Amino acid sequence: MNSRVRKTLRSQLKILAWTIGAILSLLVLIIVLIRLPAVHNRLVGEAEKYLENTLQTKVDIGGLYINFPKTIELTDFYLEDTAGDTLVAFEALNLDTDLWALLNNTIEINTLRLDHAVGKLERPEGSEYFNYQFIINAFASPDTTTSTAESKAWNFNIEDIRLGPIEFTMIDAQAGMNIH
């Protein structure tokens, strides 16, 4: 091999090494930033703003803690229905998950823990919809056409579910059913 080819090969390898190093450094920086409380607070603020604008109702998120790629904790969550009543509230929702499994179309939850939760579902007499219908409407796609493209099925793997004290109420005046 002559010296000109060696120089070209050496410079290409240096560029490749710098590119790989930059990508790895960027990933490490993102993982470190995700763990900072200031980043969590910013994510909480943006999530609250997005949900309140989309749902047109009150949403409070006390805290979000992400320990990438394993655990996610959401604390002091509150969501109102359109009448201003509590729809869902909880003190803590902890997920011990494998986020890397998402790359393989798998939702893998090792442990799901829900503590001190309140849920209130209501359907007034004469209505076909429950008080959570506004959430479905807000996130439903306006496109009603069906796709013929094949997609890989998602797999779900849930190992352990732990539910703390939960207060659940469902009042279905249309069907005449009350569950407490």
Side-chain angles (χ1 to χ4, degrees):
M1 236 194 253
N2 65 27
S3 65
R4 186 177 214 194
V5 173
R6 281 187 206 185
K7 277 187 170 182
T8 305
L9 185 59
R10 179 180 278 167
S11 68
Q12 288 177 348
L13 287 175
K14 281 184 181 180
I15 291 171
L16 180 64
W18 276 102
T19 303
I20 291 172
I23 290 171
L24 289 176
S25 297
L26 184 62
L27 286 174
V28 169
L29 180 64
I30 289 171
I31 290 170
V32 168
L33 287 176
I34 284 177
R35 293 177 179 215
L36 294 176
V39 173
H40 291 171
N41 293 339
R42 177 69 186 254
L43 289 173
V44 165
E46 292 297 321
E48 281 180 346
K49 189 180 351 174
Y50 171 77
L51 289 172
E52 284 184 347
N53 289 336
T54 303
L55 300 175
Q56 296 297 303
T57 189
K58 182 176 172 78
V59 177
D60 281 328
I61 302 172
L64 171 69
Y65 307 98
I66 302 170
N67 190 1
F68 189 81
K70 195 77 173 124
T71 57
I72 301 169
E73 181 178 358
L74 189 62
T75 60
D76 299 323
F77 181 82
Y78 175 80
L79 172 65
E80 286 184 353
D81 62 13
T82 54
D85 296 327
T86 301
L87 181 61
V88 176
F90 55 80
E91 191 174 288
L93 173 67
N94 296 10
L95 284 174
D96 176 2
T97 184
D98 181 5
L99 294 177
W100 296 116
L102 293 173
L103 299 173
N104 298 322
N105 281 27
T106 301
I107 295 176
E108 188 167 320
I109 298 174
N110 300 321
T111 305
L112 181 144
R113 194 176 87 223
L114 180 63
D115 293 323
H116 299 91
V118 175
K120 297 180 182 178
L121 304 181
E122 296 180 26
R123 180 168 64 164
E125 193 167 342
S127 175
E128 61 181 288
Y129 300 114
F130 279 91
N131 60 337
Y132 60 84
Q133 184 65 38
F134 72 101
I135 298 172
I136 295 169
N137 295 343
F139 293 107
S141 171
D143 183 11
T144 57
T145 60
T146 57
S147 173
T148 59
E150 294 258 343
S151 62
K152 186 177 176 187
W154 282 83
N155 297 313
F156 291 86
N157 182 16
I158 302 173
E159 296 289 329
D160 186 24
I161 298 176
R162 299 175 188 193
L163 304 174
I166 294 177
E167 178 186 321
F168 176 75
T169 305
M170 184 175 100
I171 301 170
D172 187 353
Q174 180 70 17
M177 182 171 54
N178 294 336
I179 299 173
H180 296 279

